[in-house]
Amino acid sequence: KGTQAKLLIEKYKIPQISTGDILRAAVKEGTEMGKKAKEYMDAGKLVPDEVVIGIIEDRLKQPDAQKGFILDGFPRTVPQAEALDQTLARMGSKIDHVLSIEVDEEELVTRLTGRRTCKNPACGQMFHIKFNPPQKEGICDKCGGELYQRDDDNEPTVRSRLATYNQATKPLIDYYQKKGLLKSIKGVGSIEDIFNQIVAILG
């Protein structure tokens, strides 16, 4: 989803708002919230709603989000979705589309444990050792920065995250389906194939 979001922000010129990126920045800076978030993230658990929703609301008020935005990795639970709806209504905004990219669980484990990200914060380019490897191992093609594997991309943590997802996030599918906003996409094929499916839905 992160790869697709990066392609979408280039096409539509609107920001990608990734709770993961915001939380990881707070962890790196060692803020009080960052330390709390790190405990949950390292265990593959969800960061508490009140922390996440506060961060999202502040971000949506920034000027670059006024023409639209892509939420990546949020909401993850029905209470978050309800709180988001209320927040957006107060701001005179709403969700237009909800995309669910469907992928087999074992395939997800392979994808997530193979991810590598550029350490350069100004770049953040993503690679995959199997599906999208860099030209030179461990080096970013885009800026020459060092690539690393995130702490939460090891197999035990990935499996814990999937268990958490199944318990907490699947009810969201029903929530957005009832609202008529959900569009499901098969997350198989090339990055370009999946992107074309998404653009066909968004118009």
Side-chain angles (χ1 to χ4, degrees), residues 22-39:
I22 296 167
L23 290 168
R24 275 189 291 278
V27 167
K28 194 176 179 185
E29 288 159 23
T31 63
E32 190 141 336
M33 187 192 76
K35 286 173 189 168
K36 284 182 190 171
K38 183 169 168 49
E39 289 174 27

Side-chain angles (χ1 to χ4, degrees), residues 3-118:
T3 302
Q4 294 299 329
K6 281 197 185 305
L7 294 172
L8 290 167
I9 60 175
E10 284 173 25
K11 180 172 175 62
Y12 294 101
K13 310 294 182 212
I14 57 176
Q16 169 196 7
I17 298 170
S18 164
T19 48
D21 289 347
I22 296 167
L23 290 168
R24 275 189 291 278
V27 167
K28 194 176 179 185
E29 288 159 23
T31 63
E32 190 141 336
M33 187 192 76
K35 286 173 189 168
K36 284 182 190 171
K38 183 169 168 49
E39 289 174 27
Y40 289 92
M41 289 161 74
D42 285 350
K45 292 181 179 170
L46 299 172
V47 176
D49 287 358
E50 61 271 17
V51 175
V52 182
I53 288 162
I55 291 168
I56 292 287
E57 183 168 0
D58 289 345
R59 181 66 185 85
L60 293 179
K61 289 176 179 170
Q62 291 180 20
D64 68 336
Q66 300 316 298
K67 289 182 181 174
F69 49 86
I70 298 165
L71 290 173
D72 173 12
F74 182 89
R76 291 191 181 202
T77 64
V78 171
Q80 283 182 356
E82 291 168 344
L84 176 65
D85 284 345
Q86 289 163 11
T87 300
L88 290 173
R90 277 202 314 273
M91 295 167 69
S93 186
K94 66 179 177 55
I95 296 293
D96 296 315
H97 302 279
V98 177
L99 299 173
S100 176
I101 302 176
E102 319 264 320
V103 183
D104 173 75
E105 203 155 293
E106 288 308 309
E107 171 75 4
L108 274 178
V109 173
T110 301
R111 286 189 190 183
L112 293 173
T113 55
R115 288 200 300 197
R116 299 294 182 269
T117 307
C118 180

Side-chain angles (χ1 to χ4, degrees), residues 149-160:
Q149 182 181 33
R150 282 172 19 193
D151 292 343
D152 55 353
D153 278 349
N154 61 70
E155 187 166 340
T157 305
V158 166
R159 291 199 183 275
S160 172

Side-chain angles (χ1 to χ4, degrees), residues 131-146:
F131 304 114
N132 180 31
Q135 289 172 4
K136 192 174 177 185
E137 191 178 338
I139 304 294
C140 176
D141 294 351
K142 199 171 177 183
C143 77
E146 186 186 341

